[in-house]
Every structure is written in structure tokens, then in C-alpha cells.
Amino acid sequence: MTYESKPDWDAKDWQLLEALQRDARLGYAELGRKVRLSAPAVAERVKRLEEAGVITGYRAVVEPKRLGYGIDAMVRLRCDGGICARIGKIVENVPEVLDCRRLAGEDSALLRVVAMSITHLETVLDRLLKIHPSISTTTLIVLQTPHANRSITRTMWDAARTLSQD
Amino acid sequence: MTYESKPDWDAKDWQLLEALQRDARLGYAELGRKVRLSAPAVAERVKRLEEAGVITGYRAVVEPKRLGYGIDAMVRLRCDGGICARIGKIVENVPEVLDCRRLAGEDSALLRVVAMSITHLETVLDRLLKIHPSISTTTLIVLQTPHANRSITRTMWDAARTLSQD
DNA sequence: ATTGAAATTAGCGATTG
DNA sequence: CAATCGCTAATTTCAAT
């Protein structure tokens, strides 16, 4: 959580960022073509984005349904403070939990869970409930996902900037 | 939504899938080294995973906080059926909505929203509410994200398979 | 297995503060 | 003058046929 010295990204940095959010496997040469920069210059900029923690990694996007995970659910979870604080570590042992966020408010955490069937989902929920007696859950079945992990863009950033008036 | 003919992925396919979920920028040669396969063989397997819809893309993972988006929130949204059905298209015009899932149950949808400040979050919520009078929201502030987009792994798949007994 | 392209390193030149 | 940035060139590695 330390401050970086370079909070300003120019138009080409944003172009690279957007291109890599769209397709993380683009090579430096091709990126350079899009952005009108040589491959080494692109590599340099991308490295700076990585080192500044703006880009934290590159991931293949996998469709769970195609692997047999027909169920996608969001699980609202309530529990006592002591357990809450450890929920991140605890759910590491439950691989069907793909996301885990701790929340302010009534719900302590919100999980995204995938399962191969309702029966499977049931066993995952049982496993979560058995972690501690203070835990209770509310399960919301995802019917469809119109948007997942949309890109952060420069135009979006600009609009927010002008909103904040500075 | 059509069925593919090849529901069986072997150990090497899984290794490739896991490697690419960890680092989508690995080249075929390096993947081949990890998996003990030639580069062309790797390329073919990856292409098959893509064509089967198991891998749907490759994305750079961006940390919104590093771009000034200090607020991360989950927004539960309720609305009438007619609007609900269109919610995916509607929130396309609200770039701060990074995820949008339609749900079964009381809440019609669950959004993930990023914002640069509480004021900014307020304007985003106002924008959502102005879409239609029937819309109401509940906003949950994310305090931390212990896990985001965890990988789907072969050991996880195996365990689920044995659970389902077939 | 071969051929063309891409990544990487190093060194140089231009621009800026 | 120092620092930053991007380019070319040359070697090695990779991708694709």
C-alpha cells in the first residue's frame, strides 16, 4: 500500500491497457502497431504498468459451464467478527468459491460459487455452514451474466475525472 | 448454446488451462516445457480449448484502485420484469458497472460498481435509479477482496466428479 | 525442420526540465 | 546538464507451415 511516483498515464498507456484487457496475448510488436510505438518502447511501458500495480496479471477467461459447472450462484454470508476476519483464508479450501469479498453492512461477505449441479451446490453450502455455527447464508442463483469483468477505459476515467472537478 | 462433441480433457489440457489462467501471456514454447509437449502440440490443444468455448479470451487484470477507483461496491437491484430483461443493455452505458448478473429471487440483478469517491458512487447510483421508477437499489461496500476470479482446476473438477458419483 | 517473425538487450539520439 | 523516452540494430528465441 505504498504510493507510486507516477500517477499519470498518457494516451498510449491507456491504449495499451485497453488492448491488453481485450486480449492479453497480443505481442509487443502487434501492440506497437496499434499504438504507433516500437516493440521495445511497448515492452517498457507495459513493464511500468505492471510495476506500478496497475496491471496485476494476465488470465485466460474460462467458461465454467463448458467444464460441467452448470450452476453459478452468489452467496451472501453472515457470521461473527472473529470468523469473518478469517473468511478469506477459510474459503481457500473450498475451490468452488471463485470470488470472496468482505462487505460493510449486514452481510459479512459475498461469495461467487460455481457447482456442477444443485446437489453439488448443496454440499458446498453445507461445507460453508459447517465452518462455524455463527455462519448463515442466502443463496442467489445467477440466471445470466450480461457483463463480467468489463474493461476500465480511458473515456470512463476521463468522464469520472470531470465529474470530480479537479 | 450448442453441445460440443469433446467433453473430455486430459491431464495436459488441464495443465495448460491452469497455466493460462495463472499467466495468459506464456508462449507456446514455455507452455510446452511445463507440460512436456512440443510447441505445435500445445498450440493445437489451446486452439481446441478455445474452439470448444472453454477458454473464451485472455485479459489483463487491472487494479482499479491504482487508477483512482478507491470505491468498490456491490449493488443489489430490484425492478419490474420488463426493465429487468433489458438491464444488461441498459448498464452498457454506465461504464462504472464492471459486472452485471441477473438473479433468481427477490433481487433482479447484482452489479459490481467501481467509483473514484463516494460522491462519484452517488452519481452512478442516481444514474441507475433514473433508468426507471421501478428500480430500487441496495449498496454494499466492499472492504476487501480476499479472492477474485480464482482458477478452475483439475483437482477441483475431480473432487466434484467423485461427489456426483458418475 | 525450415522460414519468417517476434522478443530482448544494448547503444545512440532527441526532447525536456 | 541530467533525465526520460523512444528508436535502430543484432542476437536469440519463438511461431507456423
Side-chain angles (χ1 to χ4, degrees), chain B residues 11-132:
Chain B
K12 302 208 189 244
D13 292 316
W14 274 106
Q15 285 180 292
L16 292 172
L17 204 50
E18 291 177 17
L20 286 169
Q21 286 179 92
R22 246 180 281 116
D23 182 0
R25 283 182 72 76
L26 289 172
Y28 296 134
E30 199 168 346
L31 285 167
R33 251 168 257 132
K34 289 178 189 281
V35 178
R36 304 216 155 265
L37 232 45
S38 72
V42 170
E44 249 225 332
R45 279 170 183 264
V46 171
K47 197 175 68 173
R48 270 173 48 236
L49 286 163
E50 291 168 354
E51 284 170 351
V54 173
I55 294 175
T56 59
Y58 303 91
R59 303 181 43 84
V61 179
V62 169
E63 183 62 63
K65 284 199 205 307
R66 297 288 183 171
L67 292 170
Y69 291 87
I71 307 281
D72 192 345
M74 304 301 298
V75 177
R76 292 163 51 196
L77 194 146
R78 287 164 297 281
C79 56
D80 291 343
I83 299 300
C84 273
R86 273 174 271 278
I87 194 67
K89 250 180 208 145
I90 291 167
V91 298
E92 267 173 27
N93 305 317
V94 188
E96 291 89 348
V97 175
L98 299 189
D99 295 72
C100 170
R101 287 174 228 272
R102 295 194 52 200
L103 301 177
E106 255 182 84
D107 297 322
S108 316
L110 182 63
L111 314 181
R112 181 159 91 99
V113 171
V114 293
M116 310 221 316
S117 62
I118 291 290
T119 304
H120 182 197
L121 177 61
E122 205 181 337
T123 76
V124 174
L125 292 172
D126 282 347
R127 234 176 126 185
L128 292 173
L129 290 168
K130 272 177 211 151
I131 289 167
H132 194 264

Side-chain angles (χ1 to χ4, degrees), chain A residues 11-30:
Chain A
K12 294 193 197 251
D13 292 316
W14 273 106
Q15 284 181 294
L16 293 172
L17 204 50
E18 291 178 17
L20 285 170
Q21 286 180 93
R22 249 181 279 117
D23 182 358
R25 282 181 74 74
L26 289 173
Y28 296 134
E30 201 169 344

Side-chain angles (χ1 to χ4, degrees), chain A residues 1-4 7 9 14 17 20-28 31 46 50 52-69 72 74 76 85 87-89 91-107 110 112 114 116-117 120 123 139-153 156-161 163-164, chain B residues 1-4 9 14 17 20-28 31 46 50 52-69 72 74 76 85 87-89 91-107 110 112 114 116-117 120 123 139-153 156-161 163-164 166:
Chain A
M1 256 358 136
T2 109
Y3 285 99
E4 299 292 333
W9 304 105
W14 273 106
L17 204 50
L20 285 170
Q21 286 180 93
R22 249 181 279 117
D23 182 358
R25 282 181 74 74
L26 289 173
Y28 296 134
L31 286 168
V46 171
E50 291 168 354
V54 173
I55 294 175
T56 60
Y58 304 91
R59 303 182 42 84
V61 179
V62 169
E63 182 62 62
K65 285 203 204 304
R66 298 287 182 167
L67 292 169
Y69 291 87
D72 192 344
M74 305 300 297
R76 292 164 50 194
I87 194 68
K89 249 179 208 145
V91 299
E92 266 172 28
N93 305 316
V94 186
E96 290 89 350
V97 176
L98 299 190
D99 295 69
C100 170
R101 287 174 228 270
R102 295 195 52 201
L103 303 177
E106 257 183 83
D107 296 322
L110 181 64
R112 182 160 91 100
V114 293
M116 310 219 317
S117 62
H120 182 197
T123 76
T139 301
L140 311 159
I141 299 290
V142 176
L143 299 177
Q144 58 177 255
T145 304
H147 302 288
N149 257 291
R150 273 168 91 195
S151 293
I152 291 178
T153 64
M156 159 186 176
W157 188 87
D158 277 347
R161 255 346 207 168
L163 260 181
S164 295
Chain B
M1 253 0 140
T2 109
Y3 285 100
E4 298 294 329
W9 305 103
W14 274 106
L17 204 50
L20 286 169
Q21 286 179 92
R22 246 180 281 116
D23 182 0
R25 283 182 72 76
L26 289 172
Y28 296 134
L31 285 167
V46 171
E50 291 168 354
V54 173
I55 294 175
T56 59
Y58 303 91
R59 303 181 43 84
V61 179
V62 169
E63 183 62 63
K65 284 199 205 307
R66 297 288 183 171
L67 292 170
Y69 291 87
D72 192 345
M74 304 301 298
R76 292 163 51 196
I87 194 67
K89 250 180 208 145
V91 298
E92 267 173 27
N93 305 317
V94 188
E96 291 89 348
V97 175
L98 299 189
D99 295 72
C100 170
R101 287 174 228 272
R102 295 194 52 200
L103 301 177
E106 255 182 84
D107 297 322
L110 182 63
R112 181 159 91 99
V114 293
M116 310 221 316
S117 62
H120 182 197
T123 76
T139 301
L140 310 158
I141 299 290
V142 176
L143 300 176
Q144 58 178 256
T145 304
H147 302 289
N149 257 292
R150 275 168 87 196
S151 293
I152 291 179
T153 64
M156 159 185 176
W157 188 87
D158 278 347
R161 255 347 207 168
L163 260 181
S164 295
D166 56 320

